[in-house]
Amino acid sequence: MAPLWIALAVCSIICSRAAADVGVCYGLHGDNLPPPKEVVALYKHYGIQSMRLFDPNPSALEALKGSGIGVILGVPNTDIPNIASSQAAAQQWFDTNLAPYLNDVNFL
């Protein structure tokens, strides 16, 4: 939990006047992490308008629905060979991980 809080605090202190230009990576591998809805609330509280997700985490994407926060979504390295192997595999990944959120999440 501490790294997320530290990152948010540093961004709010250093970039308080340029919050529109600030984005923060949202890593989900750790102990005692706040729930995604709380993280989205923190982003909004500090005026952070962009988030990078390292993978398409359904809980995080659900929390981002309607938030207006811009999202850069990563593809896990383990998925890349399959996605690169065929159009059908890429379409399946898209249909599973992005399509359900396209109308409600602001993907950048």
Side-chain angles (χ1 to χ4, degrees):
M1 181 162 67
L4 175 65
W5 298 105
I6 292 170
L8 290 174
V10 169
C11 284
S12 69
I13 293 168
I14 294 174
C15 305
S16 61
R17 293 188 183 180
D21 298 326
V22 174
V24 177
C25 295
Y26 177 25
L28 295 164
H29 298 287
D31 295 329
N32 299 318
L33 297 174
K37 287 188 184 252
E38 286 183 27
V39 173
V40 170
L42 285 170
Y43 273 61
K44 292 176 99 174
H45 175 77
Y46 286 105
I48 299 169
Q49 297 180 359
S50 301
M51 174 187 290
R52 177 174 182 225
L53 287 173
F54 294 99
D55 57 38
N57 179 284
S59 297
L61 291 168
E62 284 292 326
L64 285 159
K65 282 184 172 181
S67 70
I69 295 171
V71 178
I72 299 170
L73 184 63
V75 176
N77 289 340
T78 55
D79 291 351
I80 292 174
N82 188 41
I83 291 171
S85 71
S86 73
Q87 177 66 36
Q91 187 66 49
Q92 176 62 37
W93 192 93
F94 176 87
D95 291 345
T96 301
N97 297 298
L98 264 78
Y101 307 100
L102 283 179
N103 294 325
D104 301 310
V105 175
N106 181 23
F107 291 105
L108 301 176

